Amino acid sequence: MHIVDGALSAPVVITGAVLAAAGIGLGLRRMPMEKIPAAGVLSATFFVASLVHVPIGPSSVHLILNGLAGLVLGWAAFPALFVGLLLQAVFFGFGGLTVLGVNTVNIALPAVIVGWVCRPAIAASSPKVAAIWGAIGGALAIALTTLLVGIALAASGSQFVAAAKLVFFAHIPVMVIEAALTGAAVLLARRVKPELFDALGPAPREA
Amino acid sequence: MTQSVESVPGLLDATGGSVVAGRDARLRILAAAVFAVVVVSLSGAAALGLALAGAFTVAVLARLPVVRTLKRVITMDGFIVVMLAMLPFTVPGEPVFHLLGFAATREGFLQALTIGVKANAIVLMALALLGSMEAVLLARALRALLVPERLVHLVLFTVRYVDVLDREQRRLRIAMKARGFRPKTSWHTYRTFGYLVGMLLVRALERSERIFGAMKCRGFAGRLHLEATWCWSAADVSFALAGIALVSTMAALEILHVAG
């Protein structure tokens, strides 16, 4: 769900850039230097995974997996997904340059929220229960992303409201697919390498 | 036979070469950023036409592969295409024709066209100026432009491992195919892709532990060498002047359009 250059109003673009800069700053601050290799390799993994197309009926969709990114990376999802979007814009022409901030917030903020809501449960419960939380996180992240895309469009002009609503409903199948995939990925990772969900240091657990 | 995994071209390999590839990397990043900011604020047809023509010229100079670039530039997210297609029906104005009882307006068409031109001009310019850059050079230039060091480190690690992990993904896909997996619209397919992603993450994390071990063994203490000596050539100066001329002409045309 990459918004392109030229569609959004200046206040929306600027707000997106400021929020993205704050999120990236927070994410970097919470990432100790010795975790940079892990964050970089995981960020590359999400970049590669987002190029995988899965069939849906006669068509196919590419994966976003920002829910899973939030579960694994926490706040580091902000810089990691920003780097992914930057490389996609520069080398593949996906999205745009001025909208990098907005696109980063749209993808990374849901990731951080999912990480914050679902990660404690995934770390604490049995692999099967963790998979259910993973599925919830996968669907929730896409729902929040479409919502944020809709807000960015609607705030740029009332002519986009119809498209914003359509985006949400058109992504319901994507939510289902991402839920199934994230659940399965969490199930496998919890069985094989549970420390994946704590890869970037202990998550702050205020609860 | 499928192509050997090791011979697959890298995802982030620089495309094209030539006049543009030789220019100062910091200059190219700044030029792409200024171009993007100016183009999104344009509204007049003449200025937008010039923006598209300018981007096209730089793309030709950068010797971007024509077919692949066109595909990349025109490919937009499905939802953006839908959004643009809906604009004629949602922007109020003078109706041109009716479809199923909905009026399509001239203003709506113009707005959709404007967004399309802006988006394509900026993407084309970005591919020409930045996509033709070695990814590691991009990271160093970002550091020279005062992007935080940790973020640049993250870019470097990501760039380095994108192709490694892409090949890993291809190997796993071949293994799946060898066991008779064929993607369909089914729970089995989605679960299998989920396991594929999970396995990629597990392997990635284990790989990062080995990488960090190897780095520590070579005395890594939290810093990577990012300094580079930058020197401007006469060609860089003329490139910068040409860029300033293009952007100022676009701005002048826009001011004439708004005033007139």
Side-chain angles (χ1 to χ4, degrees):
Chain A
M1 270 173 286
H2 302 67
I3 299 179
V4 296
D5 282 316
L8 301 178
S9 69
V12 173
V13 168
I14 293 166
T15 311
V18 170
L19 288 179
I24 293 166
L26 259 172
L28 289 176
R29 186 175 293 220
R30 288 176 180 222
M31 191 185 341
M33 187 47 94
E34 63 273 15
K35 295 294 182 188
I36 295 240
V41 177
L42 292 172
S43 144
T45 313
F46 284 108
F47 184 93
V48 169
S50 73
L51 300 174
V52 172
H53 279 251
V54 296
I56 171 163
S59 172
S60 73
V61 289
H62 76 87
L63 300 174
I64 302 175
L65 293 178
N66 53 338
L68 190 56
L71 292 175
V72 173
L73 298 169
W75 271 100
F78 246 103
L81 295 173
F82 166 76
V83 169
L85 287 169
L86 174 73
L87 296 176
Q88 286 190 343
V90 168
F91 290 97
F92 298 164
F94 294 164
L97 295 184
T98 59
V99 282
L100 260 179
V102 176
N103 282 336
T104 302
V105 173
N106 288 350
I107 301 279
L109 188 60
V112 172
I113 292 172
V114 164
W116 188 68
V117 172
C118 303
R119 189 149 72 158
I122 282 180
S125 48
S126 72
K128 280 200 173 143
V129 177
I132 293 168
W133 277 101
I136 293 170
L140 180 64
I142 302 299
L144 290 173
T145 295
T146 50
L147 198 67
L148 287 176
V149 169
I151 290 172
L153 289 174
S156 295
S158 56
Q159 71 272 29
F160 293 121
V161 171
K165 284 182 187 156
L166 194 72
V167 169
F168 186 82
F169 290 108
H171 276 84
I172 289 176
V174 180
M175 289 173 210
V176 174
I177 292 177
E178 294 258 343
L181 254 133
T182 309
V186 167
L187 181 67
L188 180 130
R190 266 299 311 271
R191 286 197 172 137
V192 179
K193 200 165 175 73
E195 58 271 39
L196 183 68
F197 299 103
D198 206 15
L200 300 182
R205 282 192 203 121
E206 289 92 348
Chain B
M1 251 336 263
T2 37
Q3 198 184 9
S4 150
V5 169
E6 306 310 320
S7 64
V8 172
L11 288 169
L12 303 177
D13 283 355
T15 46
S18 74
V19 202
V20 176
R23 300 289 63 75
D24 189 300
R26 299 166 302 170
L27 176 64
R28 280 148 76 189
I29 295 174
L30 280 182
V34 171
F35 183 80
V37 170
V38 172
V39 169
V40 288
S41 37
L42 298 178
S43 58
L48 283 169
L50 181 64
L52 200 55
F56 189 75
T57 312
V58 179
V60 170
L61 285 175
R63 292 206 211 117
L64 291 184
V66 180
V67 177
R68 200 170 78 174
T69 308
L70 272 182
K71 254 197 208 157
R72 284 182 172 178
V73 170
I74 295 170
T75 312
M76 291 186 186
D77 250 32
F79 102 84
I80 293 288
V81 176
V82 172
M83 186 191 87
L84 292 184
M86 281 171 79
L87 275 180
F89 301 97
T90 53
V91 178
E94 175 196 335
V96 188
F97 68 87
H98 292 261
L99 186 73
L100 304 170
F102 294 102
T105 63
R106 213 177 81 86
E107 286 77 2
F109 273 115
L110 270 179
Q111 198 175 350
L113 186 67
T114 308
I115 295 175
V117 169
K118 286 180 182 178
N120 286 326
I122 294 173
V123 160
L124 195 57
M125 190 59 109
L127 286 175
L129 287 176
L130 308 177
S132 58
M133 197 183 286
E134 197 70 64
V136 174
L137 182 62
L138 176 72
R140 287 187 173 210
L142 285 174
R143 179 65 199 137
L145 293 170
L146 302 178
V147 170
E149 198 172 11
R150 281 189 190 181
L151 192 57
V152 175
H153 285 177
L154 195 60
V155 173
L156 279 172
F157 274 104
T158 308
V159 163
R160 168 67 186 88
Y161 288 101
V162 158
D163 283 323
V164 173
L165 290 163
D166 181 51
R167 287 184 188 143
E168 187 131 297
Q169 186 255 131
R170 285 168 193 272
R171 277 192 290 273
L172 287 169
R173 290 291 286 274
I174 291 173
M176 285 156 72
K177 211 172 167 185
R179 285 158 183 78
F181 174 70
R182 284 178 64 200
K184 284 189 300 251
T185 306
S186 67
W187 288 115
H188 174 70
T189 299
Y190 300 145
R191 198 170 60 230
T192 310
F193 273 115
Y195 289 157
L196 170 71
V197 172
M199 202 60 219
L200 274 176
L201 285 171
V202 168
R203 288 188 176 200
L205 188 66
E206 288 176 347
R207 186 185 290 274
S208 81
E209 285 158 7
R210 295 194 298 274
I211 295 164
F212 191 55
M215 286 168 67
K216 272 201 293 201
C217 150
R218 286 159 182 80
F220 176 73
R223 291 211 60 192
L224 295 172
H225 182 70
L226 290 170
E227 290 73 30
T229 32
W230 304 97
C231 51
W232 273 50
S233 66
D236 285 329
V237 176
S238 29
F239 185 77
L241 289 176
I244 291 169
L246 174 67
V247 169
S248 349
T249 316
M250 280 175 358
L253 285 172
E254 178 65 16
I255 291 165
L256 283 177
H257 170 80
V258 173

